[in-house]
Amino acid sequence: MERKRWYKDMVFYQIWPRSFKDGDGDGMGDLWGVYEKLDYLKSLGCDGIWFSPIYPSPGADCGYDIADYMDIAPEFGGMEAFRKVLEGVHERGMKLIMDLVVNHTSDEHEWFQKSRKRIEPYTDYYIWRPGKPGGKLPNNWDSNFEGKAWTWDEERGEYYLHLFAVKQPDLNMDNPLVREEVKKILRFWLDMGVDGFREDVITYISKKEGLPDDHLFPVYKGMPNYNHGPHIHEYLAEFKRDVFDHYDCFTLAEAPLVWPKQALKYIDEETGQLDMMIQFECQCADCLFTDWMPTKFSLPKMKKAFSDWQEKLEGRAWNMLYIENHDHPRIISRYGSEVFWKESGKMLAVMYLFQKGTPFLYQGQEIGMLNWRPADPDMYEDVQTRWQYANTELNKSPEDRLHRLWRCSRDNARTPVQWSDEENAGFTTGTPWFHVNPNYKTINVAQQEQDPDSILNFYRKAIALRKALPVVRYGTYTEHFKNDRNLYVYSRDGATQRLLVICSFADRPAGLKVPKSFDLSKAELVLRNVEGPAGQVLMPYEARVYLWNK
Ligand code: NOJ
């Protein structure tokens, strides 16, 4: 029996602040813009916000390189704007969670500046090594973003480890002083009233002793030696015991490469150290491991991933549900169809919103924003995209290389939110910091507000329904017709209600399939994404939700 916790009844909305809404006309999204849109978020049925980093940062990885953990970046409006937003959020009965990025800092953080000069107590705040004889790197690990994981620092005369960009040195979490710093940061924000944290690549924070070479992984070399490392549960338990247990908050851990069995070690409600997990498995139905290695979309693979997490966490841990975030291309462009834009956008909403867990929406998802396809590779901004483009597939044609960007780049999800068909999509009155997707004339919030049949209004309907039906929140999950290549069918069973969700991923009509023992003549069709009689044939990308009251 799961514990009752407030976040289980909520729907969250992720804000990637640079591109959400500019409130002061400088071209960069900010907290004044967020403040303007709080009622909009509430109107979607969202009860909480997760902010991607809003701290001072040089922006080498769009804020995931933090230079000061206890302040808000001036370009986002500083503390003044933050307090206003926090107050506005709480006044509306909503919650706010921050992004905690402590696997690494920015190289411009004061700790790193002092560490490279060996100023105490910062000397061992980071992972420094002299290198191997013959000028060789300390080990063979790759960074997740930019080549090898080690960079030489002239000032210190040693290499430092960075599992991400060169400007993101990894903290040495084995140093108890670093863990105390983390606790200070957590208390600072919790005391101010924030309601929890999303914890960036938190499963990376404990590296294997001796930092040995990796002979297992062909790419992302080193990962087996730092993901789910030796002291990870100990450190997380320490944060929980010393900080989280003293607040009414929740924690959401980002975990690249994790499976349900392992996830339970972190999020089992009896024994875990965290509350929910962002896993990547459900994002890998059209790529191997990361978006940079695309394969053909596989519905069976996607269904298996969702079902595995639903089934294996049942009764023991709580799922975090998402189909988009700032690290993945837009979901309609990946799992749906741009031709059947509206139908597939709504179907994908149904597909995940009626599962068990706490759903998160990513900005722009609610209006069906699509991938961005610029003509010039230089227009990309993201550090990972730029490195991959400059260093991989150099033998392919320029066209193929550009198509890879169109399909895989994280920048697909980072173009400004399209608020209206006015200049710059109504995102800013200044010059936008990043390119606006030219399709904003047809895909925008203002237009969809007016249209009762829009993706936006469908999200509202689906979320309201989710909240009205206890079976969605607490019923058990069963998948049907697992081998079907067109349909994703699952049911939910609760004490007084039963639900059947049918989603077609076919771009042509498909036969309706209903599991035995589900008598549709006794059910109510409570949600559907297309018009016309709901007969034995499903329209392309049709989704239906049937309800039985027991
Ligand atoms: C995961 C974040 O989601 C991503 O945006 C970031 O680049 C890396 N962690 C490094 O912090």
Side-chain angles (χ1 to χ4, degrees), residues 4-128:
K4 198 137 178 75
R5 296 286 307 273
W6 51 261
Y7 58 80
K8 294 186 175 178
D9 293 331
M10 295 193 159
V11 175
F12 272 75
Y13 188 95
Q14 182 194 348
I15 292 185
W16 197 75
R18 295 181 171 226
S19 289
F20 182 69
K21 177 78 175 87
D22 178 17
D24 66 2
D26 68 354
M28 169 87 75
D30 54 36
L31 293 167
W32 301 118
V34 172
Y35 189 73
E36 266 175 50
K37 297 294 178 189
L38 288 180
D39 286 331
Y40 167 76
L41 300 182
K42 183 86 186 161
S43 82
L44 294 176
C46 290
D47 315 279
I49 297 174
W50 150 27
F51 275 119
S52 276
I54 46 182
Y55 316 95
S57 157
D61 184 19
C62 292
Y64 282 89
D65 48 322
I66 298 171
D68 182 353
Y69 289 90
M70 303 210 205
D71 203 354
I72 299 291
E75 65 271 26
F76 294 143
M79 263 316 175
E80 186 197 345
F82 180 74
R83 285 185 196 275
K84 192 119 178 93
V85 167
L86 186 61
E87 209 180 280
V89 162
H90 286 158
E91 269 167 18
R92 288 166 178 78
M94 296 163 74
K95 303 280 186 183
L96 187 160
I97 67 168
M98 299 288 270
D99 216 311
L100 176 79
V101 188
V102 290
N103 175 67
H104 44 267
T105 69
S106 162
D107 64 345
E108 296 182 28
H109 195 291
E110 188 193 341
W111 301 337
F112 188 75
Q113 292 304 322
K114 292 189 168 157
S115 191
R116 59 157 43 135
K117 293 191 174 73
R118 297 177 197 261
I119 297 176
E120 291 302 347
Y122 302 101
T123 310
D124 293 327
Y125 265 42
Y126 294 84
I127 301 176
W128 296 99

Side-chain angles (χ1 to χ4, degrees), residues 16 61 64 101 104 145 164 168 198 200-201 254 280 326-327 410 414:
W16 197 75
D61 184 19
Y64 282 89
V101 188
H104 44 267
F145 284 173
F164 291 91
Q168 290 170 299
R198 175 262 188 192
D200 190 66
V201 288
E254 188 199 28
F280 285 41
H326 63 295
D327 289 332
R410 303 196 296 178
R414 297 176 175 194

Side-chain angles (χ1 to χ4, degrees), residues 124 127 129 171-179 205-209 211 230-231 234-235:
D124 293 327
I127 301 176
R129 289 291 180 279
L171 281 165
N172 174 16
M173 206 54 78
D174 295 333
N175 181 343
L177 294 179
V178 173
R179 302 203 295 281
I205 61 173
S206 165
K207 281 80 175 168
K208 206 181 246 176
E209 222 164 287
L211 312 177
H231 300 286
E234 185 187 320
Y235 297 160

Side-chain angles (χ1 to χ4, degrees), residues 120 173 177 260 264 288 388 432 441 464 492 504 520:
E120 291 302 347
M173 206 54 78
L177 294 179
L264 285 169
L288 291 169
Q388 294 281 7
K441 292 270 176 202
R492 305 289 313 279
S504 172
L520 289 193

Side-chain angles (χ1 to χ4, degrees), residues 116-161:
R116 59 157 43 135
K117 293 191 174 73
R118 297 177 197 261
I119 297 176
E120 291 302 347
Y122 302 101
T123 310
D124 293 327
Y125 265 42
Y126 294 84
I127 301 176
W128 296 99
R129 289 291 180 279
K132 286 189 182 156
K136 286 211 207 116
L137 300 178
N139 68 22
N140 70 352
W141 298 3
D142 293 327
S143 103
N144 287 216
F145 284 173
E146 292 186 290
K148 286 289 163 196
W150 296 95
T151 290
W152 179 257
D153 186 64
E154 274 305 329
E155 201 165 345
R156 167 115 173 186
E158 281 189 310
Y159 288 98
Y160 65 89
L161 179 75

